Amino acid sequence: MESIIELKNINFNYQPEDADPALKDVSFSIKKGEWVAIIGHNGSGKSTLAKTINGLLLPASGQISVGGKELNEENVWDIRRMVGMVFQNPDNQFVGSTVEDDVAFGLENQGVPRNEMVIRVTDALKKVRMDHLATREPARLSGGQKQRVAIAGVVALRPDIIILDEATSMLDPEGREEVISTIQEIKAESNLTVISITHDIDEAANANRILVMRQGQLVDEGTPEKIFSAGTELIEMGLDLPFPEKLKIALKERGIDVPQEYLTEERMVEWLWTSVLNK
Ligand code: ADP
Ligand code: MG
């Protein structure tokens, strides 16, 4: 499979004199259609990395290519068009007074003709299952619905890559699930490449691969199974541990043998029932 994103030895400083750069020698590649989660503590460089991928920030050194094009001042606009971003705060993402106006905004900016625009807006709202609320005021939507509209705004622009920068972090569990399943559906239809920056282990579990950032460096990468087997170290990697993992740690501290692998709540109940409570 071809890579759609390639970073080679990226360094980035917000201030030229910064002793501690925000990104230090970061290299990786992402294949077309892959879902990659990026985890790491606050301040580890995740958002900076996302912004270098779509050319919002230009690295001090290193090479970036997106869709086979080297990112430079000449084609930064073409690349920005390939990469859609959804940010953390659902309330900061609206410019339109209705849901459909909001989704149309990016298309208007790109000078898409009106009849084409109408088709794309309707199509994007259907994809995020918000077409029934097209004339609603964005302010009156739930957090999950707002983020789905933000996703529709990006999808309408037909990007090859979507970056979710903690796009689910302000949502309740239901809203998170709405957003993630929406992305999964769109991805299944269009071979979208997804980068999701997250502290949520369930969101990271959806990825084909997880990249771990620490202090501006890429310090680990692997499948969710591999990364999640790190147990308590996951907290050091910036992930919020779900209840079954917290319970595992507490049981281990009390001398009980617990399974190494990551357990869902359902499997934890099953394991407790069959191995611990029956003894
Ligand atoms: P993350 O998204 O992982 O929380 P960021 O990429 O936002 O991390 O930040 C990485 C580092 O860069 C941090 O030390 C942060 O304080 C610094 N930083 C982020 N944005 C700016 C900015 N606009 N100006 C100066 N420093 C910044
Ligand atoms: Mg961030």
Side-chain angles (χ1 to χ4, degrees):
M1 261 198 297
E2 63 180 305
S3 349
I4 190 163
I5 298 172
E6 260 183 61
L7 272 73
K8 279 193 200 130
N9 311 107
I10 295 302
N11 290 284
F12 180 86
N13 302 51
Y14 281 97
Q15 305 298 332
E17 66 277 12
D18 271 359
D20 210 18
L23 296 175
K24 288 174 232 170
D25 203 28
V26 176
S27 302
F28 60 82
S29 64
I30 294 180
K31 292 188 170 40
K32 194 166 165 53
E34 206 179 3
W35 181 320
V36 172
I38 302 179
I39 65 173
H41 271 298
N42 289 333
S44 60
K46 305 180 300 297
S47 295
T48 306
L49 186 59
K51 289 175 194 157
T52 59
I53 293 174
N54 81 342
L56 281 174
L57 296 173
L58 293 176
S61 61
Q63 285 102 44
I64 298 177
S65 70
V66 179
K69 282 188 186 175
E70 176 115 1
L71 197 158
N72 53 36
E73 279 169 33
E74 254 161 59
N75 56 27
V76 63
W77 290 102
D78 292 340
I79 286 181
R80 226 170 268 176
R81 213 167 283 195
M82 287 187 243
V83 188
M85 298 252 262
V86 181
F87 297 97
Q88 185 170 35
N89 189 339
D91 293 315
N92 290 347
Q93 315 219 29
F94 289 105
V95 283
S97 56
T98 64
V99 164
E100 58 189 0
D101 281 355
D102 195 79
V103 176
F105 182 78
L107 295 169
E108 268 170 27
N109 262 354
Q110 287 192 1
V112 173
R114 174 146 183 97
N115 51 349
E116 165 79 11
M117 194 160 80
V118 173
I119 295 168
R120 288 225 218 161
V121 169
T122 311
D123 177 57
L125 284 175
K126 274 197 188 128
K127 284 201 165 114
V128 303
R129 281 185 272 106
M130 287 292 291
D131 45 321
H132 61 300
L133 297 174
T135 56
R136 188 68 76 85
E137 244 181 275
R140 295 183 46 216
L141 303 174
S142 73
Q145 288 173 328
K146 284 176 184 168
Q147 289 300 59
R148 275 153 60 198
V149 173
I151 292 166
V154 167
V155 164
L157 300 171
R158 312 244 162 110
D160 302 297
I161 301 156
I162 286 191
I163 303 181
L164 306 167
D165 189 355
E166 301 198 29
T168 64
S169 65
M170 293 177 76
L171 306 179
D172 58 21
E174 199 183 325
R176 282 182 187 183
E177 172 51 33
E178 272 173 41
V179 167
I180 295 308
S181 60
T182 300
I183 293 287
Q184 280 171 332
E185 284 165 24
I186 297 168
K187 190 178 175 311
E189 273 175 33
S190 58
N191 201 29
L192 193 68
T193 304
V194 179
I195 298 178
S196 66
I197 297 173
T198 186
H199 295 283
D200 181 53
I201 198 160
D202 294 320
E203 185 174 333
N206 276 297
N208 303 114
R209 193 153 56 100
I210 298 178
L211 306 182
V212 185
M213 294 292 296
R214 185 188 300 144
Q215 294 174 350
Q217 286 177 297
L218 177 64
V219 292
D220 202 358
E221 69 171 296
T223 60
E225 291 73 23
K226 182 203 157 199
I227 300 293
F228 293 169
S229 69
T232 46
E233 281 171 43
L234 288 175
I235 302 171
E236 285 157 39
M237 292 177 186
L239 279 180
D240 299 326
L241 281 191
F243 179 72
E245 291 300 304
K246 284 186 191 148
L247 182 60
K248 257 168 66 177
I249 292 163
L251 290 171
K252 209 170 172 180
E253 280 168 5
R254 285 162 182 76
I256 296 169
D257 268 340
V258 294
Q260 269 290 311
E261 73 268 22
Y262 173 70
L263 293 184
T264 59
E265 205 157 298
E266 206 177 11
R267 293 197 40 217
M268 171 54 96
V269 170
E270 197 181 287
W271 174 75
L272 279 173
W273 186 244
T274 53
S275 330
V276 182
L277 303 178
N278 268 346
K279 274 182 191 159

